Amino acid sequence: MRYPEKSIAARLLEDDPEAIGVVIRWISSILTWPRFWSLREEWPDLVQETLARVIESLQKGRFDAARDFRFYVQGIARHTAVRAVQEVLHRRLESEKGKAEALAAVLGTPVVDVVAARQIVRRVLDQASEECRLLIRLYFLDEKGYEEIGQELLVPVGTVKSRLSRCLMEAQKALRVAVRRHLPDAKVESEP
């Protein structure tokens, strides 16, 4: 299909650098949407993939010159980005599934129980106060000692110990409630 001579579509097929720049800006305006922010490391590849799809589409005559070319390009960019997000989510789910299966094998429990337990722990931590989440992250995930945490938060070591202890007791209580609610058959230790 022939496109009007001075149109961006025709100039793109002729490798006009100015037309390529315009199309890349249109593509980038979609890829930088907040909903695609998680793809920021892949943006250069996605721009190239989208540009290649647009050119292929033009070569095959799929674009109707009566339509707005910018919206057409941005539609291809949205489709490419949505597909990329789906692939990332699929990879994450497969990775999480593999981790859950490995943990279930070690614990000798069904995978469903491991996945449910992880979700419960996440929910409990999400409900914890900001201070508790910070202390738990610093101590357990960052593996910092009481002294390091105290220096970072500008509080005495004893305060770090008592606050962390209080946070863990609150998390333990919330965890018992959540486990009873979501996994009624699970064994839950009684309170000390």
Side-chain angles (χ1 to χ4, degrees), residues 8-55:
I8 293 178
R11 291 174 31 217
L12 182 64
L13 287 175
E14 295 170 359
D15 290 330
D16 178 0
E18 185 180 326
I20 293 171
V22 168
V23 171
I24 287 175
R25 282 192 296 280
W26 291 344
I27 293 168
S28 298
S29 72
I30 298 299
L31 296 181
T32 57
W33 281 1
R35 72 186 274 197
F36 302 131
W37 190 253
S38 64
L39 300 171
R40 64 188 170 278
E41 293 176 7
E42 299 177 40
W43 282 345
D45 294 335
L46 290 173
V47 167
Q48 291 301 314
E49 181 181 341
T50 304
L51 185 59
R53 286 176 179 223
V54 169
I55 291 171

Side-chain angles (χ1 to χ4, degrees), residues 73-92:
V73 168
Q74 290 176 332
I76 293 173
R78 268 191 306 278
H79 172 76
T80 303
V82 166
R83 198 186 54 144
V85 167
Q86 290 170 342
E87 288 174 7
V88 167
L89 290 175
H90 179 72
R91 284 194 304 263
R92 282 186 193 155

Side-chain angles (χ1 to χ4, degrees), residues 24-137:
I24 287 175
R25 282 192 296 280
W26 291 344
I27 293 168
S28 298
S29 72
I30 298 299
L31 296 181
T32 57
W33 281 1
R35 72 186 274 197
F36 302 131
W37 190 253
S38 64
L39 300 171
R40 64 188 170 278
E41 293 176 7
E42 299 177 40
W43 282 345
D45 294 335
L46 290 173
V47 167
Q48 291 301 314
E49 181 181 341
T50 304
L51 185 59
R53 286 176 179 223
V54 169
I55 291 171
E56 178 186 3
S57 178
L58 290 175
Q59 290 170 338
K60 292 184 177 182
R62 293 182 187 149
F63 172 66
D64 178 1
R67 295 176 52 200
D68 187 326
F69 187 55
R70 183 183 69 165
F71 291 131
Y72 184 76
V73 168
Q74 290 176 332
I76 293 173
R78 268 191 306 278
H79 172 76
T80 303
V82 166
R83 198 186 54 144
V85 167
Q86 290 170 342
E87 288 174 7
V88 167
L89 290 175
H90 179 72
R91 284 194 304 263
R92 282 186 193 155
L93 287 173
E94 288 299 314
S95 173
E96 287 295 316
K97 181 181 173 190
K99 290 176 189 175
E101 288 172 349
L103 186 58
V106 168
L107 297 175
T109 61
V111 174
V112 174
D113 290 349
V114 171
V115 172
R118 280 184 165 177
Q119 290 172 348
I120 290 169
V121 169
R122 281 191 186 122
R123 188 172 298 138
V124 166
L125 290 176
D126 287 345
Q127 293 172 355
S129 69
E130 187 70 33
E131 178 187 47
C132 286
R133 283 195 302 270
L134 174 63
L135 286 170
I136 290 169
R137 181 181 55 78

Side-chain angles (χ1 to χ4, degrees), residues 3 5 34 45 55 83-85 89 98 144 146 149 177-178 187:
Y3 298 105
E5 188 175 321
D45 294 335
I55 291 171
R83 198 186 54 144
V85 167
L89 290 175
K144 292 186 178 184
Y146 297 123
I149 296 171
V177 170
K187 296 178 182 177

